[in-house]
């Protein structure tokens, strides 16, 4: 079957055509109209501007996605659209557009949870779902959570951030040290310089970093976002606040912040926190047979990918990481997640509504 999917939950308007045959998914087209250049002027996403930009782009990118895939609307067997969570005005653009198309052409419609979409982006790695069950880490601008995935129709959150998301923590501190929005990729590169300056190149640099003088000196000390309360939860706001205080201390002393080393330390704490909690999740007896999935915008981070690769080897689990090109918001992942909604018969009519709220069902 051919699935036409839409994603408009935040600052990318995306449309894709994905085919699903015998459990094998193939991307026929995957178009994304990014709004980052607009939001960069404001240092973050402005919801009303995002909704307007989605409205302007959605029709054009739909034609483009159909064109590149070499299909027409008459070849489409399912319309899938992100219905939650996200910016409500932004979501409504995609949902309204998808509903109109589905009704006009008599195509079945499904609403998709954005987080399930991110998990499904890893399924596109080999074109099919990895062996179940999986422990999935989804890290993005709005989410940081660990899920137990029995199937895409049975996803349970087992750990989550109690405040900020990891991507937000990179974006906000990145902005303060002069990296334009969204700061994730720039932060990644700067931290890379910091790690090399401190401990050189090569594998295992996380372990060497912890033993380094700069780590021990405490000048750049930052708290771990991994909560020590027996849960698999995080708090990234403490890391963020401590980083702001640290930057102020340098400013007040008139000293120049060693930006690269600071970015390395900040990245170390953020990545090590998710490494620790994932390791804990995998060591639970009920998760002994779980493979691992890493997805979401922040899954593009090279240090996180490297460190979780080490974890996979340590724990002898297979790790499926979404392709870098599919880590950020896109509609191909929504098509795959939409297939599972269709499979379990959750066909929607034109009463489908968007919701800003989290809540995987
Ligand atoms: O999944 P996504 O595209 O949108 C949301 O659903 O939030 O994630 C966007 C986030 C932004 O915070 C961005 O800075 C971050 O992903 N990001 C990265 C990297 N590339 C993008 N964070 C860390 N390292 C990266 N290389
Ligand atoms: Zn996302």
């Amino acid at each position: 079957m051919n699935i036409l999917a839409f994603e408009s939950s935040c600052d990318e308007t995306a449309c894709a055509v994905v085919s699903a045959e015998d459990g094998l998914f193939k991307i026929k087209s995957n178009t994304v109209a990014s709004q980052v250049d607009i939001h960069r002027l404001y240092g973050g996403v402005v919801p009303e501007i995002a909704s307007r930009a989605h409205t302007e782009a959605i029709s054009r990118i739909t034609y483009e996605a159909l064109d590149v895939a070499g299909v027409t609307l008459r070849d489409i067997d399912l319309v899938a659209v992100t219905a939650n969570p996200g910016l409500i005005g932004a979501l409504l653009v995609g949902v309204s557009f998808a509903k109109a198309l589905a009704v006009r052409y008599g195509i079945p419609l499904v609403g998709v949870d954005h987080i399930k979409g991110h998990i499904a982006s890893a399924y596109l790695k080999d074109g099919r779902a990895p062996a179940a069950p999986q422990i999935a880490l989804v890290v993005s601008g709005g989410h940081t959570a660990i899920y137990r995935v029995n199937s895409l129709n049975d996803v349970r959150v087992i750990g989550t951030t109690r405040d900020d998301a990891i991507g937000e923590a990179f974006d906000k501190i990145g902005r303060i040290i002069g990296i334009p929005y969204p700061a994730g990729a720039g932060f990644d590169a700067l931290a890379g310089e910091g790690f090399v300056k401190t401990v050189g190149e090569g594998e295992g640099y996380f372990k060497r970093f912890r033993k380094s003088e700069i780590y021990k000196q405490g000048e750049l000390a930052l708290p771990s976002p991994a909560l020590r309360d027996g849960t698999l939860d995080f708090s990234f706001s403490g890391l963020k606040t401590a980083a702001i205080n640290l930057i102020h201390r340098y400013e007040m002393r008139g000293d120049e912040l060693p930006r690269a080393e600071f970015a390395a330390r900040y990245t170390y704490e953020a990545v090590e926190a998710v490494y620790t909690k994932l390791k804990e999740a995998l060591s639970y007896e009920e998760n002994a047979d779980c493979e691992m999935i890493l997805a979401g915008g922040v899954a593009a981070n090279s240090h996180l990918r490297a460190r979780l690769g080490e974890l996979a080897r340590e724990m002898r689990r297979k790790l499926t990481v979404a392709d870098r090109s599919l880590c950020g918001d896109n509609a191909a992942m929504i098509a795959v997640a939409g297939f599972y909604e269709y499979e379990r018969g959750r066909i929607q009519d034109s009463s489908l509504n968007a919701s800003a709220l989290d809540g995987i069902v």
Side-chain angles (χ1 to χ4, degrees):
M1 74 186 317
N2 284 322
I3 309 167
L4 178 69
F6 297 97
E7 155 61 41
S8 70
S9 66
C10 191
D11 57 352
E12 333 272 359
T13 323
C15 182
V17 177
V18 172
S19 68
E21 304 299 340
D22 304 322
L24 190 68
F25 301 104
K26 227 174 122 197
I27 299 177
K28 291 188 160 177
S29 65
N30 189 21
T31 55
V32 181
S34 178
Q35 305 174 6
V36 293
D37 289 344
I38 310 171
H39 298 295
R40 186 170 290 145
L41 302 171
Y42 306 92
V45 179
V46 183
E48 175 61 19
I49 294 177
S51 310
R52 291 178 193 210
H54 285 309
T55 309
E56 283 164 18
I58 198 156
S59 184
R60 171 175 56 80
I61 64 146
T62 304
Y63 283 119
E64 203 177 308
L66 291 167
D67 228 39
V68 173
V71 297
T72 71
L73 283 167
R74 310 222 172 264
D75 304 312
I76 300 298
D77 307 295
L78 179 67
V79 173
V81 61
T82 306
N84 75 290
L87 302 170
I88 189 67
L91 285 164
L92 278 168
V93 176
V95 167
S96 309
F97 193 84
K99 282 202 293 197
L101 271 189
V103 170
R104 163 67 180 83
Y105 289 89
I107 309 168
L109 169 74
V110 287
V112 172
D113 183 289
H114 182 79
I115 301 301
K116 283 190 180 177
H118 274 303
I119 296 172
S121 68
Y123 294 13
L124 285 161
K125 182 83 201 164
D126 297 323
R128 55 176 82 243
Q134 306 123 16
I135 292 293
L137 173 71
V138 177
V139 278
S140 73
H143 289 84
T144 305
I146 303 174
Y147 300 89
R148 156 103 186 189
V149 185
N150 294 322
S151 81
L152 218 54
N153 291 333
D154 182 7
V155 178
R156 197 160 38 90
V157 58
I158 56 172
T160 184
T161 179
R162 301 227 180 121
D163 37 62
D164 295 347
I166 187 169
E168 196 179 337
F170 280 128
D171 289 341
K172 294 235 168 92
I173 299 302
R175 182 181 169 182
I176 292 172
I177 62 169
I179 304 171
Y181 175 85
F187 214 106
D188 187 345
L190 188 62
E193 275 176 42
F195 283 123
V196 171
K197 270 191 185 171
T198 318
V199 294
E201 291 186 59
E203 286 209 359
Y205 60 89
F206 259 67
K207 284 182 195 139
R208 295 204 303 279
F209 185 73
R210 184 167 198 111
K211 291 187 192 138
S212 70
E213 276 313 305
I214 197 148
Y215 191 94
K216 287 191 203 146
Q217 271 168 14
E219 187 69 355
L220 296 172
L222 290 167
S224 166
L227 291 177
R228 288 208 191 121
D229 61 356
T231 68
L232 296 175
D233 289 351
F234 309 95
S235 164
F236 282 92
S237 76
L239 173 65
K240 210 179 67 185
T241 309
I244 291 170
N245 290 339
L246 188 156
I247 295 164
H248 279 166
R249 277 202 303 279
Y250 271 88
E251 273 170 12
M252 279 178 340
R253 291 202 308 250
D255 290 344
E256 198 178 323
L257 179 77
R259 282 171 83 249
E261 290 87 340
F262 163 77
R265 177 66 192 256
Y266 191 84
T267 302
Y268 175 88
E269 295 302 343
V271 168
E272 209 57 12
V274 292
Y275 167 93
T276 306
K277 292 291 179 183
L278 262 183
K279 186 169 180 172
E280 206 174 318
L282 291 166
S283 61
Y284 292 166
E285 208 178 314
E286 72 260 29
N287 297 332
D289 55 347
C290 287
E291 294 197 351
M292 290 162 69
I293 280 181
L294 170 63
V298 181
N301 187 278
S302 57
H303 312 293
L304 179 62
R305 292 167 90 93
R307 190 68 175 127
L308 292 197
E310 288 176 357
L311 177 62
R313 285 193 292 278
E314 255 174 70
M315 302 295 284
R316 296 173 200 281
R317 310 293 173 94
K318 187 176 171 219
L319 168 67
T320 305
V321 188
D323 256 2
R324 268 212 169 83
S325 62
L326 295 175
C327 283
D329 291 345
N330 65 83
M333 68 185 197
I334 302 303
V336 176
F339 173 82
Y340 287 87
E341 293 298 322
Y342 175 78
E343 214 183 24
R344 68 165 164 168
R346 295 204 358 147
I347 306 296
Q348 306 282 345
D349 59 21
S350 56
S351 66
L352 173 68
N353 205 353
S355 163
L357 304 178
D358 259 340
I360 282 188
V361 279

